[in-house]
């Protein structure tokens, strides 16, 4: 099949999922065309069957604001027409599903391309509900040839939030468990925690929904009984606030900000517990990455998180903002070696048995095939 993939290339989990999906489909013999405004982050070397089409933004003095949705639609039209796409798969509804619809309509009678929209998170739970976007998101969902969501929670939320009967297939996010594998490197551990401290970790884009400052508050509680270092990986608007809070609490020496990192499996393998105190999370890809590396997760019960982490088996789940409980669960794992080992094995096992790439990517392939008969 010839498949076009539209995604955000550099920011967030939806781009990671789209890139990994495209890479995997290419390895399975499909021709994959990425259509984005920049080279997708994880697409940094030559791979057979993969092509990249950059959306160019025309500048014109009359346009005070950039017309990205239209420029994207224009590029999609080109790629559908000249590469003869069978499937156009857009990730994150705004504006990708709308641009995809526009391109498809423009080519009516010329192309039979099928439009697949994958809903990822705030396109449904936050920004998509803005009055100026809601009717367009609803329309683009209803006009897609197929719609998928990354969790059951998100499928339900779409139906209620947008008052739609559109069929939504749940296809979970996935992980390459051979890449995300616990490979403890004593050097990394020594660098992060030179005095044998335990290691907590959080990885995100530090947006307010991630509640990064809660990880600092949890550390503050944990430090009352266990010498611990908190490693914060990523960057974003709430980094300064997390830095300020750790200084104010007098624990700045126990918090290491690594910034954006690519070597996630190595870094995750050094962690004892992964923290995900999010306020909203349709799936929680970073939790799955941690689990695949055998790192148990302490998280909130928001959104699709309970579909990923089994409370009391592969991690612990607490109410949003319940710092005391999250700290208690964390200390429990840090101080009970036997329990940690069981949770670590369960976490890895769950990633392999439920979310391994080879189980999930064929579900997308089947969906595409169904649309093309
Ligand atoms: O929806 C967002 O906030 C952005 C999106 C992204 O691009 O990172 O994140 C969502 O998609 C991820 C991949 O499917 C999920 O793992 C995240 O849980 C989800 N984020 C939220 O729901 C906040």
């Amino acid at each position: 099949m010839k498949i076009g993939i539209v995604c955000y290339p550099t920011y967030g989990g939806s781009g990671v999922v789209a890139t990994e999906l495209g890479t995997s489909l290419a390895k399975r013999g499909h021709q994959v065309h990425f259509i984005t405004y920049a080279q997708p982050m994880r697409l940094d070397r030559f791979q057979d069957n993969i092509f990249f089409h950059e959306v160019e933004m025309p500048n014109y003095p009359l346009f005070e604001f950039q017309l990205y949705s239209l420029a994207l639609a224009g590029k999609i039209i080109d790629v559908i027409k000249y590469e003869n796409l069978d499937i156009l798969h857009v990730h994150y509804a705004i504006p990708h599903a709308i641009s995809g619809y526009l391109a498809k309509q423009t080519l009516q009678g010329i192309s039979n391309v099928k439009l697949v929209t994958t809903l990822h998170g705030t396109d449904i739970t936050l920004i998509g509900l803005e009055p100026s976007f809601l009717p367009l998101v609803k329309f683009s969902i209803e006009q897609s040839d197929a719609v998928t969501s990354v969790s059951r929670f998100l499928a339900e939320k779409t139906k209620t939030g947008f008052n739609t009967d559109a069929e939504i297939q749940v296809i979970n996010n996935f992980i390459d468990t051979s890449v995300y594998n616990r490979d403890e490197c004593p050097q990394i551990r020594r660098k992060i925690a030179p005095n044998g401290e335990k290691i907590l970790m959080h990885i995100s884009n530090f947006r307010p929904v991630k509640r990064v400052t809660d990880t600092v508050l949890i550390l503050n509680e944990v430090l009352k009984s266990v010498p611990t270092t908190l490693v914060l990986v990523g960057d974003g608007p709430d980094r300064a606030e997390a830095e300020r809070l750790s200084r104010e609490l007098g624990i700045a020496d126990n918090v290491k900000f690594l910034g954006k990192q690519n070597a996630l499996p190595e870094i995750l393998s050094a962690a004892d517990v992964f923290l995900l105190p999010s306020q909203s999370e349709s799936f929680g890809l970073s939790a799955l990455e941690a689990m695949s590396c055998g790192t148990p997760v302490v998280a909130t019960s928001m959104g699709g998180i309970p579909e990923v982490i089994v409370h009391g088996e592969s991690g612990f789940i607490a109410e949003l903002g319940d710092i005391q409980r999250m700290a208690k669960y964390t200390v429990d794992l840090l101080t009970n070696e036997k329990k940690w080992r069981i949770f670590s094995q369960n976490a890895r096992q769950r990633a392999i048995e439920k979310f391994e790439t080879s189980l999930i990517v064929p579900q997308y392939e089947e969906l595409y095939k169904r649309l093309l008969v």
Side-chain angles (χ1 to χ4, degrees), residues 11-14 17 92 120-122 150 173 207 280-285:
Y11 196 65
S14 63
V17 171
Y92 203 88
H120 278 272
T122 49
V150 298
N173 286 336
R207 285 174 303 161
S280 167
E281 203 71 71
S282 68
F283 183 88
L285 185 63

Side-chain angles (χ1 to χ4, degrees), residues 16-17 19-28 42 171-180 285 288-289 292 348 350-365:
V16 171
V17 171
T19 311
E20 296 295 336
L21 174 62
T23 307
S24 211
L25 288 166
K27 282 188 191 144
R28 297 167 78 91
R42 294 198 182 176
I171 302 186
N172 288 138
N173 286 336
F174 54 90
I175 188 89
D176 184 340
T177 57
S178 66
V179 174
Y180 281 81
L285 185 63
L288 178 58
E289 289 173 344
S292 187
R348 167 95 185 139
R350 184 158 171 81
I352 292 172
E353 285 170 6
K354 194 146 169 40
F355 301 110
E356 161 58 39
T357 304
S358 56
L359 299 173
I360 307 289
V361 172
Q363 296 179 29
Y364 281 112
E365 261 180 321

Side-chain angles (χ1 to χ4, degrees), residues 141-357:
I141 287 171
E142 290 173 348
Q143 295 300 318
S144 296
D145 295 296
V147 180
T148 77
S149 74
V150 298
S151 62
R152 285 197 307 277
F153 157 80
L154 195 61
E156 279 311 309
K157 198 80 190 158
T158 309
K159 290 189 172 175
T160 52
F162 291 82
N163 189 24
T164 179
D165 289 332
E167 194 183 317
I168 301 173
Q169 184 180 347
V170 177
I171 302 186
N172 288 138
N173 286 336
F174 54 90
I175 188 89
D176 184 340
T177 57
S178 66
V179 174
Y180 281 81
N181 190 8
R182 198 164 191 90
D183 184 12
E184 284 190 38
C185 169
Q187 261 173 323
I188 294 186
R189 205 177 168 103
R190 259 200 310 277
K191 283 250 179 289
I192 295 173
N195 302 311
E197 299 92 337
K198 295 290 184 184
I199 299 175
L200 304 183
M201 196 169 286
H202 170 80
I203 303 177
S204 76
N205 40 29
F206 291 39
R207 285 174 303 161
V209 285
K210 301 289 176 181
R211 296 195 39 142
V212 183
T213 48
D214 279 5
T215 66
V216 178
L217 295 172
I218 294 168
L219 172 72
N220 193 41
E221 290 303 311
V222 171
L223 277 172
K224 291 176 184 165
S225 53
V226 187
T228 304
T229 295
L230 169 65
V231 179
L232 293 173
V233 182
D235 216 326
D238 279 358
R239 175 171 174 166
E241 181 55 15
E243 285 172 338
R244 189 202 59 75
L245 181 65
S246 59
R247 279 194 300 270
E248 187 185 296
L249 293 170
I251 57 173
D253 288 348
N254 298 76
V255 185
K256 287 197 162 55
F257 289 86
L258 297 193
K260 288 181 185 162
Q261 297 282 334
N262 283 331
L264 294 184
E266 286 98 315
I267 297 171
L268 279 167
S269 296
D272 296 304
V273 172
F274 187 84
L275 299 175
L276 192 65
S278 301
Q279 176 183 331
S280 167
E281 203 71 71
S282 68
F283 183 88
L285 185 63
S286 60
L288 178 58
E289 289 173 344
M291 285 163 61
S292 187
C293 292
T295 305
V297 183
V298 173
T300 55
S301 58
M302 303 311 286
I305 292 176
E307 294 174 48
V308 181
I309 302 161
V310 180
H311 177 72
E313 281 182 23
S314 44
F316 285 116
I317 288 172
E319 290 304 304
L320 175 66
D322 193 343
I323 303 298
Q324 293 300 330
R325 189 163 288 271
M326 285 189 270
K328 184 176 157 292
Y329 287 145
T330 304
V331 169
D332 191 14
L333 286 166
L334 296 181
T335 53
N336 186 336
E337 173 73 29
K338 190 169 162 218
K339 187 181 249 183
W340 183 88
R341 208 154 284 289
I342 294 168
F343 272 56
S344 167
Q345 279 162 5
N346 289 346
R348 167 95 185 139
Q349 208 52 32
R350 184 158 171 81
I352 292 172
E353 285 170 6
K354 194 146 169 40
F355 301 110
E356 161 58 39
T357 304

